[in-house]
Amino acid sequence: MEYGTSPKMKFSSSWLILLSLSLMYAVSDVIGDGGPYYPNWESIDSRPLPGWYDEAKFGIFIHWGVYSVPAFGTEWFWHKWKADEDPSFVEFMKENYPPKFQYPDFGPQFTAEMFDANHFADVIKASGAQYVVLTSKHHEGFTNYASSYSWNWNSVDIGPNRDLVGELAEAIRSRTEVKFGLYYSLYEWFHPLFMKDKANNFETQEYMKMVMRPQLHEIVNKYHPWVIWADGSGQGPTEYWNSTDFLAWLYNESPVKDYVVVNDRWGKSDICHHGGYYTCHDRYNPGVLQDHKWEDAMTIDKGSWGYRRDTNSKSFLTMDEITTTLAETISCGGNLLMNFGPTHDGRIIPIFEERLRQTGEWLAVNGEAVYASRPWRDQNDTLTSGVWYTRKDDVYAFVLDWPDNNTLYLGSPIPTYNTKVSMLGLETPLNWTKGGRPGVNITIEFPILAGPKLPCDYAWVLKLENVL
């Protein structure tokens, strides 16, 4: 798969973007004495992105809520059933639940009795992720902590009778170096105050003032998240959410003001235009270098963010697909946020745990080319498809497919008299020659290896020293 324009045009435009990105990210992990920031986007957007986020590259997303009880179709189960009246969801309820059963009746069945926060923390650490984002509240309105603004519809009052957010935050911080963040849905599908504001064409703001705003302050003051991943703002006009007031407080006065990062989902017209980093839409993967920091939030389960039971072996991403997406993302300046959904009783199902641990094993070999890397002048090779680049002092080439006849032809790197080529995970340097055929700058001979001698089973990374 090839992206971009001609090599000459790509080279020129890439360098301009790379220069702006270098200036943008040339900051420490914390902001320090920046600001003050005012409640308008010009001021809010002037805050530098804390450097830790760009260097992290890879995080884990966790969608967990009452939707894991029916565990059918999607985490949008309630909306599909009642608002959309989707026939498959309506029929599912008719076949499996009594006629008067309502979605809130699932709440007590969200039990989490097998949830072990320490195990979650250990698996997340093993994945190689540098940050984790847990749903504090999804669109159903159920909070995974004791919210003062969600009485009897939270994980402490019903269901688990536990502060799930607090338990995972404590385990992550005590057992790992992973940074803890929170997802928060600005709106709720069926909250009476939101429905009232919507019926008033959003000329009233009762829900925003009485629920959304105080809950955002609540999760910041209680849990000190490094990430606030807002969502759901597209359901109302930008003016309704008044998000810049909250962000001004967050950046000026909150306990996380020096290190917190936020995304772009703070208003319908703000998405992909304003915020700390851009997500634009789910599974955003532009394939070309962007002039603003961005993130690809994607799922191991191709069809749902929350856990669902109606899956088969083809429902889940393979490791080839995961490493391909990771290489494409970081080569173009993005972060990858990979999601899984726990079960209603608090388990990480085997396929999710396997993918997380496999990703960590791959990163243990190839993390040198991932963490704290920067985009190179060419994001993917000008000659051979399936080769993506990052850089530090040296250049790294992510080779997604083992080359035919163990010979790789590259058109982007230009070798010098002291160029050295190696494969991460192997000690012996690789043989290379200059040119080889038209359009080729360097020809690299891959080692003849098999089975356990291979450093990894997918997406092999070459380290190219002293190339132009």
Side-chain angles (χ1 to χ4, degrees):
M1 181 167 52
E2 292 291 338
Y3 297 95
T5 57
S6 69
K8 184 176 181 180
M9 291 176 65
K10 187 176 175 183
F11 182 89
S12 176
S13 61
S14 292
W15 273 111
L16 292 175
I17 296 175
L18 287 169
L19 177 60
S20 66
L21 290 175
S22 296
L23 294 173
M24 184 186 305
Y25 303 145
V27 295
S28 63
D29 278 2
V30 298
I31 298 300
D33 296 327
Y37 300 100
Y38 300 98
N40 61 74
W41 278 120
E42 182 179 5
S43 180
I44 296 297
D45 286 342
S46 72
R47 178 182 182 260
L49 186 73
W52 74 261
Y53 177 79
D54 179 60
E55 294 188 352
K57 303 301 180 189
F58 178 56
I60 296 298
F61 214 173
I62 305 175
H63 274 65
W64 197 20
V66 173
Y67 41 82
S68 66
V69 178
F72 177 79
T74 171
E75 74 286 349
W76 277 60
F77 183 95
W78 193 3
H79 195 277
K80 290 283 188 180
W81 172 30
K82 287 299 186 180
D84 299 339
E85 296 183 352
D86 185 303
S88 62
F89 290 81
V90 173
E91 189 63 25
F92 175 85
M93 291 304 298
K94 285 182 178 179
E95 291 182 356
N96 295 285
Y97 295 92
K100 295 183 179 181
F101 193 96
Q102 297 297 317
Y103 189 84
D105 296 327
F106 284 126
Q109 300 177 33
F110 178 53
T111 51
E113 72 271 21
M114 299 189 72
F115 173 55
D116 180 350
N118 289 337
H119 175 66
F120 271 55
D122 293 345
V123 173
I124 291 165
K125 179 181 179 180
S127 76
Q130 302 298 293
Y131 61 106
V132 61
V133 178
L134 171 69
T135 45
S136 63
K137 182 188 79 171
H138 198 255
H139 310 321
E140 65 185 6
F142 187 92
T143 63
N144 284 324
Y145 68 99
S147 174
S148 299
Y149 308 94
S150 186
W151 178 81
N152 209 37
W153 191 232
N154 66 73
S155 66
V156 176
D157 287 344
I158 63 170
N161 300 125
R162 297 164 65 177
D163 180 356
L164 303 178
V165 172
E167 288 185 30
L168 185 60
E170 172 60 28
I172 289 290
R173 288 167 175 153
S174 64
R175 301 173 73 86
T176 80
E177 298 297 320
V178 176
K179 292 176 170 58
F180 183 77
L182 289 172
Y183 166 106
Y184 178 82
S185 173
L186 302 190
Y187 89 122
E188 299 177 24
W189 289 317
F190 303 114
H191 196 290
L193 293 180
F194 180 78
M195 296 175 74
K196 179 181 177 181
D197 288 343
K198 184 177 181 180
N200 291 334
N201 295 316
F202 296 106
E203 294 178 1
T204 56
Q205 294 178 304
E206 291 187 39
Y207 170 82
M208 185 277 290
K209 293 177 180 178
M210 298 179 67
V211 180
M212 184 207 87
R213 179 63 61 80
Q215 280 185 335
L216 279 169
H217 281 261
E218 196 173 51
I219 62 173
V220 170
N221 289 320
K222 277 189 175 184
Y223 303 111
H224 296 190
W226 286 70
V227 178
I228 299 178
W229 214 100
D231 196 16
S233 64
Q235 303 304 313
T238 294
E239 297 74 22
Y240 173 74
W241 304 109
N242 208 16
S243 297
T244 53
D245 274 5
F246 167 73
L247 292 172
W249 170 81
L250 185 73
Y251 290 169
N252 290 324
E253 303 176 39
S254 79
V256 298
K257 62 185 177 65
D258 291 334
Y259 55 80
V260 69
V261 297
V262 303
N263 64 348
D264 56 344
R265 301 188 184 191
W266 296 98
K268 183 181 292 186
S269 61
D270 302 327
I271 299 171
C272 219
H273 295 289
H274 297 291
Y277 62 90
Y278 295 167
T279 61
C280 297
H281 55 75
D282 294 348
R283 303 173 183 85
Y284 177 61
N285 187 1
V288 294
L289 187 63
Q290 303 296 295
D291 61 4
H292 191 95
K293 184 63 188 181
W294 60 280
E295 179 183 77
D296 179 3
M298 42 74 79
T299 65
I300 299 175
D301 177 349
K302 300 174 186 178
S304 178
W305 296 83
Y307 169 71
R308 60 184 178 126
R309 293 173 291 170
D310 52 323
T311 57
N312 56 50
S313 61
K314 295 181 180 179
S315 301
F316 306 98
L317 293 177
T318 66
M319 277 306 299
D320 278 323
E321 292 171 317
I322 289 171
T323 52
T324 294
T325 304
L326 178 59
E328 292 174 348
T329 299
I330 63 174
S331 294
C332 295
N335 279 19
L336 188 70
L337 186 63
M338 187 167 73
N339 177 79
F340 74 92
T343 61
H344 79 282
D345 55 5
R347 292 173 293 114
I348 307 173
I349 63 171
I351 188 65
F352 288 150
E353 181 166 346
E354 180 182 57
R355 290 293 181 269
L356 294 173
R357 292 187 181 277
Q358 286 173 325
T359 302
E361 291 167 1
W362 185 87
L363 283 166
V365 174
N366 301 297
E368 175 185 335
V370 175
Y371 305 123
S373 65
R374 296 288 185 268
W376 192 41
R377 59 171 170 81
D378 282 352
Q379 284 66 68
N380 53 328
D381 195 65
T382 56
L383 177 70
T384 300
S385 63
V387 178
W388 295 81
Y389 295 104
T390 62
R391 68 173 177 89
K392 290 182 179 175
D393 292 333
D394 303 306
V395 174
Y396 299 91
F398 295 74
V399 183
L400 304 183
D401 298 302
W402 194 273
D404 293 338
N405 301 316
N406 298 319
T407 303
L408 180 67
Y409 302 99
L410 297 179
S412 292
I414 302 172
T416 63
Y417 73 94
N418 60 344
T419 289
K420 179 182 177 182
V421 179
S422 57
M423 181 179 288
L424 297 186
L426 296 181
E427 295 182 1
T428 306
L430 305 186
N431 295 323
W432 65 271
T433 56
K434 187 174 182 180
R437 65 185 190 187
V440 175
N441 277 322
I442 185 171
T443 299
I444 300 170
E445 297 300 323
F446 270 43
I448 301 175
L449 299 172
K453 293 184 178 180
L454 285 169
C456 51
D457 295 325
Y458 16 72
W460 301 269
V461 180
L462 303 182
K463 182 176 182 178
L464 309 176
E465 301 176 55
N466 303 310
V467 296
L468 302 176

